[in-house]
Amino acid sequence: MSPMKTLLAATTAALFALPAFAESEIKIEDAYARASGMNAMAGAAFFQIMNHGDEDDRLIAARSDVAKRVELHTHKETAEGVMQMVEVEEGFPVAAGAMHALQRGGDHVMFMGLNQPFEDGSTISVTLVFEKAGEMTVEIPVDLQRNPMGGGMQNGKMDHGKMNGGQMKQDTTPSN
């Protein structure tokens, strides 16, 4: 085989060996984290998971150096009518073409045993692990002033572009 054909064959083989680098179909929007105070031992992160893909996916874990433990949590009402936070070991489903909101009083990422206080205006690095999309590291701003209804709120006005507008639909699949 001539040197030119050898080079061409090697180049072609190398191109097919490269992994396909496609932009993730999962997007994180309107993220923020908070703790109840400077001396708090726990904090939480909230955001919207947008699945722009054609396949259902699932957030199955989260990791961060800001706490000793990081878990996926939700709030459930006990038989006595008391709200209680519980770990969601199976994670949160995100249907294809849908959005799953992690919000106060509902699903969220829980940080237990904080290694440092959450300071308003700082950011924390969190690695989200999806069943199909894999790992995604996001920088989440700490916002201790955020209104509990803060998802999609700007200057006291609702921002419908971050809610159910456009092509995304709310994922109403129960997380448990």
Side-chain angles (χ1 to χ4, degrees):
M1 186 181 283
S2 73
M4 187 60 154
K5 286 183 180 179
T6 303
L7 179 60
L8 182 59
T11 303
T12 303
L15 285 174
F16 284 110
L18 290 175
F21 292 106
E23 190 172 321
S24 176
E25 302 289 341
I26 299 291
K27 303 288 183 217
I28 304 302
E29 292 188 9
D30 201 26
Y32 73 102
R34 61 177 288 111
S36 58
M38 289 301 290
N39 295 322
M41 294 304 297
F46 312 97
F47 45 86
Q48 295 171 355
I49 306 169
M50 313 297 279
N51 184 349
H52 294 282
D54 295 331
E55 283 189 288
D56 294 351
D57 207 339
R58 179 179 294 272
L59 176 63
I60 56 173
R63 296 190 304 268
S64 180
D65 292 337
V66 300
K68 292 170 184 54
R69 287 184 62 133
V70 181
E71 296 178 354
L72 302 178
H73 274 211
T74 197
H75 287 83
K76 292 209 182 240
E77 188 172 353
T78 66
E80 295 79 31
V82 176
M83 293 303 286
Q84 181 179 36
M85 273 193 286
V86 294
E87 182 177 9
V88 182
E89 293 183 19
E90 68 276 11
F92 306 127
V94 189
M99 180 271 292
H100 185 91
L102 276 63
Q103 56 195 359
R104 289 162 77 174
D107 298 342
H108 57 279
V109 175
M110 188 76 195
F111 306 103
M112 296 172 291
L114 296 179
N115 294 323
Q116 62 205 34
F118 278 14
E119 294 183 25
D120 197 38
S122 65
T123 60
I124 60 172
S125 183
V126 179
T127 300
L128 303 174
V129 183
F130 290 89
E131 194 170 71
K132 295 179 181 165
E135 294 187 3
M136 171 186 299
T137 300
V138 292
E139 297 299 317
I140 300 178
V142 174
D143 186 348
L144 302 179
Q145 308 305 313
R146 184 97 173 226
N147 177 326
M149 299 300 293
M153 295 295 282
Q154 292 181 357
N155 301 325
K157 297 180 182 174
M158 181 65 74
D159 179 1
H160 295 283
K162 293 191 178 179
M163 302 301 280
N164 295 339
Q167 298 177 352
M168 301 306 290
K169 60 183 184 268
Q170 174 71 38
D171 183 1
T172 57
T173 307
S175 61
N176 297 338

